[in-house]
Amino acid sequence: MKVVRTRADLRAALHDAPRPVGLVPTMGWLHAGHTSLIERARADSATVVVSIFVNPRQFGQTADFTMYPRNEARDLETCERAGVDLVFAPSVDEVYPPGFDTLVSVGAIAVPLEGAARPGHFDGVATVVAILFSLVGVERAYFGLKDYQQVRVIRRMALDLALPTEVVACATVREPDGLALSSRNARLSPAGRAAAPVLHRALLEGEARLRAGERNADTVRAAMRGVLATEPRAEVDYVSVADPDTLAELATVEGGALLSLAATIDGVRLIDNARVG
Ligand code: AMP
């Protein structure tokens, strides 16, 4: 496994690399959710590239960026064990050199939910992913459905900018108690960790209501909020029942729905979602 830190070294390392190339973009602090993406990329690709970069442009508050957990040595071991060929672990200046002044801003699909809760977040995501796609010249890139809206934003961006990269969406990996794996879980206190599965329980409740025939989206939202309210540590940010294609909030659920929510526990912001139908 080779580790490169500059744009030039990444291009050079990929020049003669066997194709197809699969890319897994990450912010590090790798867990089983990330390794599931790496395994999928390994199965499809002759060369697997993992990027490890905590992208300052997708964080609203500097504190959130500084507090983001980091452990490169452990991440490199995880990559090595998972059969990664190449790791790109650049500095902030390498990704955004002095004078950098371009923003990739995706439209309507990036507006609601995480876009509304975290202004500028998806501009930061789309910009860094566009740079990665263009540097790696990648045939496929792998993203987790845990960040459902992110997958949709990146697909839109790749299509609109004619980037020849197939965006592959992979299922959410969960702890046995239902909590979606996330690098942020590391910042939860033991009590916060015990409280966190309430997000998944709320999604299960919403799903159960829909499967039982409930069609009123407000009733489903209220049921999900009701479950979240059982956990005093959970501060709800949003609870959504939306069209899975447009992410517009639904009044009535006729076809499929995307249930999603965001809540802060112990100052740690967690998100999760479930697609129904
Ligand atoms: P991050 O390092 O949090 O930016 O995540 C890097 C990639 O891993 C993104 O495509 C995430 O959607 C994906 N990912 C994060 N957590 C999970 C999970 N629990 N299951 C599946 N994919 C995940």
Side-chain angles (χ1 to χ4, degrees), residues 89-246:
S91 67
V92 172
D93 279 351
E94 187 62 31
V95 174
Y96 304 115
F100 186 97
D101 199 17
T102 296
L103 207 59
V104 179
S105 191
V106 176
I109 198 78
V111 170
L113 305 175
E114 289 301 289
R118 304 176 69 189
H121 170 68
F122 284 125
D123 289 352
V125 170
T127 302
V128 78
V129 173
I131 295 170
L132 289 171
F133 280 14
S134 105
L135 274 174
V136 181
V138 61
E139 277 88 0
R140 293 196 195 90
Y142 298 80
F143 294 88
L145 283 169
K146 151 117 187 326
D147 300 285
Y148 181 95
Q149 189 178 14
Q150 172 170 277
V151 171
R152 300 302 313 275
V153 166
I154 290 164
R155 283 213 171 118
R156 184 78 257 164
M157 185 268 298
L159 193 70
D160 292 354
L161 299 183
L163 303 176
T165 302
E166 184 192 343
V167 173
V168 183
C170 306
T172 301
V173 177
R174 299 179 179 282
E175 299 282 5
D177 62 10
L179 176 64
L181 297 190
S182 164
S183 311
R184 291 170 188 270
N185 295 351
R187 284 174 42 209
L188 292 166
S189 68
R193 173 62 189 82
V198 75
L199 274 79
H200 184 238
R201 287 202 303 278
L203 292 172
L204 291 179
E205 179 64 25
E207 271 188 73
R209 296 289 177 110
L210 287 172
R211 293 199 198 289
E214 181 58 62
R215 290 293 164 258
N216 184 316
D218 269 340
T219 309
V220 177
R221 288 183 195 98
M224 291 163 69
R225 280 187 182 275
V227 173
L228 290 170
T230 63
E231 181 44 71
R233 282 176 182 269
E235 238 175 87
V236 181
D237 185 347
Y238 63 78
V239 169
S240 159
V241 177
D243 180 304
D245 293 323
T246 64

Side-chain angles (χ1 to χ4, degrees), residues 3-73:
V3 181
V4 293
R5 299 190 184 276
T6 66
R7 291 177 173 217
D9 285 350
L10 178 62
R11 276 201 202 280
L14 282 168
H15 185 68
D16 298 322
R19 317 298 295 197
V21 176
L23 168 70
V24 180
T26 81
M27 297 203 298
W29 199 268
L30 301 182
H31 52 63
H34 298 112
T35 48
S36 76
L37 306 187
I38 295 172
E39 280 160 18
R40 183 83 181 273
R42 187 69 280 169
D44 292 352
S45 327
T47 302
V48 175
V49 182
V50 170
S51 61
I52 301 177
F53 178 60
V54 185
N55 175 26
R57 289 181 184 240
Q58 71 186 70
F59 289 87
Q61 297 153 348
T62 327
D64 198 24
F65 170 70
T66 354
M67 304 260 295
Y68 200 84
R70 294 164 171 87
N71 187 338
E72 190 186 274

